[in-house]
Amino acid sequence: MIRLWRSVWMLCALLLAAPAWSADNDYRMGTGDVLHITVYGQPDLTTDARVSETGTITFPLIGDVKMADITPAQGENEIAQRLSKGGFIIKPFVTLNVVQYRSQHISVLGRVNRPGQYTLEKSAA
């Protein structure tokens, strides 16, 4: 019986700790990433944008928004806050998806045909 309770407590502890693990390991956007951004009920604001070398994108109505080194959830919040503060939309619901991951690089070294640094280009499914 004690063994059963220990198992239950361990399971509860793991379930409570899981959100903390996922928050730390969330993908951080970088230069070259392609983003698809939508605002619910506002089809004119649907945008596909590439994160520039300066780490920003240009979004309709609010201009340049920094996207480098933040998570997609933080990007959604930033755009929503700016739309709301600017008086464009009262309670915007923004979704941001990374369509192409281009900010990650790998280096190929050693005795190979083409050594150097390469961009990982993985499209989101």
Side-chain angles (χ1 to χ4, degrees), residues 7-73:
S7 298
V8 169
W9 283 110
M10 289 296 280
L11 181 62
C12 289
L14 287 173
L15 290 174
L16 291 174
W21 289 334
S22 64
D24 291 339
N25 295 329
D26 211 2
Y27 177 75
R28 295 199 174 270
M29 299 177 287
T31 59
D33 287 350
V34 178
L35 313 176
H36 180 75
I37 305 165
T38 57
V39 180
Y40 179 75
Q42 305 294 325
D44 293 341
L45 295 180
T46 297
T47 304
D48 288 324
R50 181 180 308 277
V51 179
S52 70
E53 291 298 320
T54 60
T56 62
I57 63 163
T58 301
F59 193 79
L61 302 176
I62 59 175
D64 289 342
V65 182
K66 183 180 182 295
M67 289 288 143
D69 297 324
I70 63 172
T71 65

